[in-house]
Amino acid sequence: MKQFTERFGAVLGRLLVSSLLVALLAAGAREAKATGGLTFAVATTNGTPGAEVIVPVQASQFASILTFQFSFHWNPAVATFIGVESFGVPGLGAGNFGTTLTNLGTLTVSWDDPDGVGKMAADGTTLFGVRLQLIGSAGTASLLTIDGNPTPIEAANDLGETIPVTIGPGQLSISQPGAKPSISAAPQPLTVTAGNTATFGVTAAGSGSLTYQWRFNGAGLSGAIGSSLTLTNVQPIQGGDYDVVVANSFGSVTSSTARLTVTIPVDVTPPTITITSPTSNPAYATTNNTITLGGLSGDNVGVIQVTWNNSRGGNGTATGTTIWSINGITLQLGSNVLTVTARDAANNSSSDSLTVNYMLGNQTPTISDITDKLT
């Protein structure tokens, strides 16, 4: 009996110690919850004159919150009140806000958990958004603050304990409205000689970063996306109208057109031409009444035509230019001076001649015939 009593007393003692520890831990948890911080912060917001903006009011350490209230302020000369929206906790709505002082830049809020159990929200949750219209001029700003006037700052947890609140103010700024690009220096007309380089340029300004797209006769040029356009080894086919479209996120503007005129260089160099067949000598004798000529010609730009004529009658156009031939030229008895002429696009020309002595088959050349052929 004595042993049972001792064992029972030991067990009872251990139970009492355990109960005491549980009670102390619970009290500590409640104390920690009661002294934990709750933060209300106003997000910095900006907009352009006349625009409507939403100012988020956010919370951190929103754990088992049963109720909160405070007053929110801004400068009424900078913005006017439109309404509240974007509610982030259950039971919070337009009816929780006092708007009688919004003309003075003051909005009050008071919320109680409709379930009476306390609510949780992730850090950075937007409790609500205040929609304001910006009435100040560009460059003006207003502090966005939370305080206890006229509604005191208060917050309580699900145990009904008041908890401390930290405030994070913000700022409302009015910025200059964005401007689409404007062009201060448009591309200028150019005249260049074929084979040279042409460069167009544009000077533009606008909000943010600018993009460029050059166009030729209204069609975009692939890869031409800089503030200047350089064309190398320009050819006559590239002559025409060039312009550039300058854009940003606010719009675009197209420059005036600039005409590119490509001129062909003045050619004063005559072509060359040489008779090589039936001989490269200046004279030739034959008993045939027709003859075929062939030869070569060249030019710094290009030969466009080779023609021929016979001093005894007849003319025509050769086949080919750089390598040319003339078939079936009719000869007259005696001396025939055959002249071939090469001509280029600038109408420059040069000639070569062959004196052909046509004799009958049984005729012996005379001294004068030989002399003619040599001279």
PDB file of all heavy atoms in Angstrom, residues 198-220:
ATOM      1  N   ALA A 198      26.376  57.523-100.179  1.00  0.00           N
ATOM      2  CA  ALA A 198      25.360  58.511 -99.793  1.00  0.00           C
ATOM      3  C   ALA A 198      24.955  58.246 -98.350  1.00  0.00           C
ATOM      4  O   ALA A 198      24.708  57.104 -97.970  1.00  0.00           O
ATOM      5  CB  ALA A 198      24.139  58.424-100.704  1.00  0.00           C
ATOM      6  N   THR A 199      24.870  59.307 -97.532  1.00  0.00           N
ATOM      7  CA  THR A 199      24.497  59.169 -96.121  1.00  0.00           C
ATOM      8  C   THR A 199      23.383  60.153 -95.782  1.00  0.00           C
ATOM      9  O   THR A 199      23.529  61.367 -95.979  1.00  0.00           O
ATOM     10  CB  THR A 199      25.696  59.418 -95.191  1.00  0.00           C
ATOM     11  OG1 THR A 199      26.722  58.466 -95.485  1.00  0.00           O
ATOM     12  CG2 THR A 199      25.290  59.270 -93.735  1.00  0.00           C
ATOM     13  N   PHE A 200      22.263  59.607 -95.271  1.00  0.00           N
ATOM     14  CA  PHE A 200      21.166  60.422 -94.762  1.00  0.00           C
ATOM     15  C   PHE A 200      21.192  60.378 -93.231  1.00  0.00           C
ATOM     16  O   PHE A 200      21.592  59.373 -92.638  1.00  0.00           O
ATOM     17  CB  PHE A 200      19.810  59.889 -95.247  1.00  0.00           C
ATOM     18  CG  PHE A 200      19.587  59.999 -96.724  1.00  0.00           C
ATOM     19  CD1 PHE A 200      19.666  58.890 -97.541  1.00  0.00           C
ATOM     20  CD2 PHE A 200      19.282  61.235 -97.287  1.00  0.00           C
ATOM     21  CE1 PHE A 200      19.446  58.986 -98.903  1.00  0.00           C
ATOM     22  CE2 PHE A 200      19.053  61.347 -98.648  1.00  0.00           C
ATOM     23  CZ  PHE A 200      19.141  60.223 -99.458  1.00  0.00           C
ATOM     24  N   GLY A 201      20.716  61.451 -92.610  1.00  0.00           N
ATOM     25  CA  GLY A 201      20.642  61.488 -91.148  1.00  0.00           C
ATOM     26  C   GLY A 201      19.394  62.212 -90.682  1.00  0.00           C
ATOM     27  O   GLY A 201      18.782  62.986 -91.425  1.00  0.00           O
ATOM     28  N   VAL A 202      18.987  61.924 -89.427  1.00  0.00           N
ATOM     29  CA  VAL A 202      17.825  62.581 -88.826  1.00  0.00           C
ATOM     30  C   VAL A 202      18.136  62.866 -87.366  1.00  0.00           C
ATOM     31  O   VAL A 202      18.861  62.116 -86.704  1.00  0.00           O
ATOM     32  CB  VAL A 202      16.555  61.690 -88.939  1.00  0.00           C
ATOM     33  CG1 VAL A 202      16.704  60.424 -88.113  1.00  0.00           C
ATOM     34  CG2 VAL A 202      15.312  62.447 -88.539  1.00  0.00           C
ATOM     35  N   THR A 203      17.620  63.996 -86.871  1.00  0.00           N
ATOM     36  CA  THR A 203      17.745  64.341 -85.455  1.00  0.00           C
ATOM     37  C   THR A 203      16.342  64.421 -84.877  1.00  0.00           C
ATOM     38  O   THR A 203      15.503  65.169 -85.376  1.00  0.00           O
ATOM     39  CB  THR A 203      18.472  65.678 -85.256  1.00  0.00           C
ATOM     40  OG1 THR A 203      19.767  65.604 -85.864  1.00  0.00           O
ATOM     41  CG2 THR A 203      18.625  65.999 -83.774  1.00  0.00           C
ATOM     42  N   ALA A 204      16.087  63.606 -83.826  1.00  0.00           N
ATOM     43  CA  ALA A 204      14.744  63.537 -83.238  1.00  0.00           C
ATOM     44  C   ALA A 204      14.850  63.485 -81.720  1.00  0.00           C
ATOM     45  O   ALA A 204      15.886  63.123 -81.159  1.00  0.00           O
ATOM     46  CB  ALA A 204      13.999  62.312 -83.750  1.00  0.00           C
ATOM     47  N   ALA A 205      13.758  63.867 -81.058  1.00  0.00           N
ATOM     48  CA  ALA A 205      13.686  63.827 -79.590  1.00  0.00           C
ATOM     49  C   ALA A 205      12.303  63.336 -79.192  1.00  0.00           C
ATOM     50  O   ALA A 205      11.330  63.464 -79.944  1.00  0.00           O
ATOM     51  CB  ALA A 205      13.964  65.208 -78.999  1.00  0.00           C
ATOM     52  N   GLY A 206      12.204  62.777 -77.979  1.00  0.00           N
ATOM     53  CA  GLY A 206      10.932  62.282 -77.471  1.00  0.00           C
ATOM     54  C   GLY A 206      11.147  61.532 -76.174  1.00  0.00           C
ATOM     55  O   GLY A 206      12.291  61.284 -75.768  1.00  0.00           O
ATOM     56  N   SER A 207      10.071  61.178 -75.497  1.00  0.00           N
ATOM     57  CA  SER A 207      10.160  60.481 -74.216  1.00  0.00           C
ATOM     58  C   SER A 207      10.652  59.049 -74.409  1.00  0.00           C
ATOM     59  O   SER A 207      10.252  58.369 -75.345  1.00  0.00           O
ATOM     60  CB  SER A 207       8.795  60.458 -73.528  1.00  0.00           C
ATOM     61  OG  SER A 207       8.332  61.767 -73.283  1.00  0.00           O
ATOM     62  N   GLY A 208      11.519  58.622 -73.494  1.00  0.00           N
ATOM     63  CA  GLY A 208      11.998  57.246 -73.538  1.00  0.00           C
ATOM     64  C   GLY A 208      12.922  56.991 -74.717  1.00  0.00           C
ATOM     65  O   GLY A 208      13.469  57.906 -75.327  1.00  0.00           O
ATOM     66  N   SER A 209      13.085  55.726 -75.039  1.00  0.00           N
ATOM     67  CA  SER A 209      13.977  55.349 -76.137  1.00  0.00           C
ATOM     68  C   SER A 209      13.247  55.474 -77.478  1.00  0.00           C
ATOM     69  O   SER A 209      12.047  55.239 -77.570  1.00  0.00           O
ATOM     70  CB  SER A 209      14.461  53.906 -75.936  1.00  0.00           C
ATOM     71  OG  SER A 209      13.374  53.013 -75.883  1.00  0.00           O
ATOM     72  N   LEU A 210      13.993  55.835 -78.496  1.00  0.00           N
ATOM     73  CA  LEU A 210      13.448  56.033 -79.840  1.00  0.00           C
ATOM     74  C   LEU A 210      13.894  54.887 -80.742  1.00  0.00           C
ATOM     75  O   LEU A 210      15.002  54.368 -80.611  1.00  0.00           O
ATOM     76  CB  LEU A 210      13.923  57.363 -80.424  1.00  0.00           C
ATOM     77  CG  LEU A 210      13.603  58.630 -79.631  1.00  0.00           C
ATOM     78  CD1 LEU A 210      14.157  59.854 -80.353  1.00  0.00           C
ATOM     79  CD2 LEU A 210      12.107  58.771 -79.400  1.00  0.00           C
ATOM     80  N   THR A 211      13.020  54.514 -81.670  1.00  0.00           N
ATOM     81  CA  THR A 211      13.378  53.543 -82.698  1.00  0.00           C
ATOM     82  C   THR A 211      13.281  54.212 -84.063  1.00  0.00           C
ATOM     83  O   THR A 211      12.538  55.185 -84.245  1.00  0.00           O
ATOM     84  CB  THR A 211      12.445  52.316 -82.666  1.00  0.00           C
ATOM     85  OG1 THR A 211      11.094  52.744 -82.937  1.00  0.00           O
ATOM     86  CG2 THR A 211      12.494  51.643 -81.298  1.00  0.00           C
ATOM     87  N   TYR A 212      14.028  53.670 -85.018  1.00  0.00           N
ATOM     88  CA  TYR A 212      14.091  54.257 -86.355  1.00  0.00           C
ATOM     89  C   TYR A 212      13.864  53.169 -87.406  1.00  0.00           C
ATOM     90  O   TYR A 212      14.320  52.037 -87.248  1.00  0.00           O
ATOM     91  CB  TYR A 212      15.464  54.899 -86.605  1.00  0.00           C
ATOM     92  CG  TYR A 212      15.840  55.965 -85.604  1.00  0.00           C
ATOM     93  CD1 TYR A 212      16.441  55.624 -84.388  1.00  0.00           C
ATOM     94  CD2 TYR A 212      15.600  57.311 -85.861  1.00  0.00           C
ATOM     95  CE1 TYR A 212      16.783  56.597 -83.465  1.00  0.00           C
ATOM     96  CE2 TYR A 212      15.945  58.293 -84.955  1.00  0.00           C
ATOM     97  CZ  TYR A 212      16.539  57.930 -83.749  1.00  0.00           C
ATOM     98  OH  TYR A 212      16.879  58.887 -82.832  1.00  0.00           O
ATOM     99  N   GLN A 213      13.152  53.530 -88.466  1.00  0.00           N
ATOM    100  CA  GLN A 213      12.990  52.647 -89.620  1.00  0.00           C
ATOM    101  C   GLN A 213      13.047  53.494 -90.891  1.00  0.00           C
ATOM    102  O   GLN A 213      12.158  54.291 -91.161  1.00  0.00           O
ATOM    103  CB  GLN A 213      11.670  51.878 -89.563  1.00  0.00           C
ATOM    104  CG  GLN A 213      11.416  51.012 -90.789  1.00  0.00           C
ATOM    105  CD  GLN A 213      12.485  49.954 -91.003  1.00  0.00           C
ATOM    106  OE1 GLN A 213      12.622  49.045 -90.191  1.00  0.00           O
ATOM    107  NE2 GLN A 213      13.275  50.071 -92.070  1.00  0.00           N
ATOM    108  N   TRP A 214      14.129  53.301 -91.653  1.00  0.00           N
ATOM    109  CA  TRP A 214      14.276  54.035 -92.911  1.00  0.00           C
ATOM    110  C   TRP A 214      13.484  53.344 -94.005  1.00  0.00           C
ATOM    111  O   TRP A 214      13.339  52.113 -94.015  1.00  0.00           O
ATOM    112  CB  TRP A 214      15.750  54.131 -93.299  1.00  0.00           C
ATOM    113  CG  TRP A 214      16.514  55.064 -92.412  1.00  0.00           C
ATOM    114  CD1 TRP A 214      17.147  54.756 -91.246  1.00  0.00           C
ATOM    115  CD2 TRP A 214      16.716  56.464 -92.624  1.00  0.00           C
ATOM    116  NE1 TRP A 214      17.725  55.878 -90.707  1.00  0.00           N
ATOM    117  CE2 TRP A 214      17.485  56.943 -91.530  1.00  0.00           C
ATOM    118  CE3 TRP A 214      16.330  57.363 -93.612  1.00  0.00           C
ATOM    119  CZ2 TRP A 214      17.862  58.282 -91.417  1.00  0.00           C
ATOM    120  CZ3 TRP A 214      16.710  58.696 -93.500  1.00  0.00           C
ATOM    121  CH2 TRP A 214      17.466  59.139 -92.415  1.00  0.00           C
ATOM    122  N   ARG A 215      12.982  54.159 -94.942  1.00  0.00           N
ATOM    123  CA  ARG A 215      12.177  53.642 -96.043  1.00  0.00           C
ATOM    124  C   ARG A 215      12.681  54.204 -97.377  1.00  0.00           C
ATOM    125  O   ARG A 215      13.201  55.320 -97.431  1.00  0.00           O
ATOM    126  CB  ARG A 215      10.701  54.013 -95.855  1.00  0.00           C
ATOM    127  CG  ARG A 215      10.126  53.578 -94.515  1.00  0.00           C
ATOM    128  CD  ARG A 215       8.626  53.772 -94.450  1.00  0.00           C
ATOM    129  NE  ARG A 215       8.218  55.153 -94.741  1.00  0.00           N
ATOM    130  CZ  ARG A 215       6.958  55.552 -94.797  1.00  0.00           C
ATOM    131  NH1 ARG A 215       5.975  54.680 -94.603  1.00  0.00           N
ATOM    132  NH2 ARG A 215       6.668  56.820 -95.054  1.00  0.00           N
ATOM    133  N   PHE A 216      12.502  53.405 -98.426  1.00  0.00           N
ATOM    134  CA  PHE A 216      12.851  53.817 -99.787  1.00  0.00           C
ATOM    135  C   PHE A 216      11.595  53.718-100.634  1.00  0.00           C
ATOM    136  O   PHE A 216      10.998  52.642-100.762  1.00  0.00           O
ATOM    137  CB  PHE A 216      13.952  52.910-100.341  1.00  0.00           C
ATOM    138  CG  PHE A 216      14.258  53.136-101.798  1.00  0.00           C
ATOM    139  CD1 PHE A 216      14.554  54.409-102.279  1.00  0.00           C
ATOM    140  CD2 PHE A 216      14.256  52.081-102.709  1.00  0.00           C
ATOM    141  CE1 PHE A 216      14.834  54.617-103.622  1.00  0.00           C
ATOM    142  CE2 PHE A 216      14.534  52.275-104.039  1.00  0.00           C
ATOM    143  CZ  PHE A 216      14.831  53.554-104.500  1.00  0.00           C
ATOM    144  N   ASN A 217      11.176  54.870-101.160  1.00  0.00           N
ATOM    145  CA  ASN A 217       9.932  54.943-101.933  1.00  0.00           C
ATOM    146  C   ASN A 217       8.759  54.321-101.174  1.00  0.00           C
ATOM    147  O   ASN A 217       7.920  53.612-101.749  1.00  0.00           O
ATOM    148  CB  ASN A 217      10.109  54.269-103.295  1.00  0.00           C
ATOM    149  CG  ASN A 217      11.031  55.064-104.216  1.00  0.00           C
ATOM    150  OD1 ASN A 217      11.210  56.272-104.047  1.00  0.00           O
ATOM    151  ND2 ASN A 217      11.633  54.385-105.176  1.00  0.00           N
ATOM    152  N   GLY A 218       8.718  54.555 -99.843  1.00  0.00           N
ATOM    153  CA  GLY A 218       7.608  54.107 -99.010  1.00  0.00           C
ATOM    154  C   GLY A 218       7.732  52.713 -98.450  1.00  0.00           C
ATOM    155  O   GLY A 218       6.911  52.309 -97.619  1.00  0.00           O
ATOM    156  N   ALA A 219       8.741  51.945 -98.844  1.00  0.00           N
ATOM    157  CA  ALA A 219       8.916  50.570 -98.361  1.00  0.00           C
ATOM    158  C   ALA A 219      10.084  50.512 -97.386  1.00  0.00           C
ATOM    159  O   ALA A 219      11.137  51.124 -97.620  1.00  0.00           O
ATOM    160  CB  ALA A 219       9.150  49.621 -99.528  1.00  0.00           C
ATOM    161  N   GLY A 220       9.884  49.773 -96.291  1.00  0.00           N
ATOM    162  CA  GLY A 220      10.934  49.675 -95.284  1.00  0.00           C
ATOM    163  C   GLY A 220      12.188  49.004 -95.817  1.00  0.00           C
ATOM    164  O   GLY A 220      12.131  48.057 -96.602  1.00  0.00           O
TER     165      GLY A 220
END
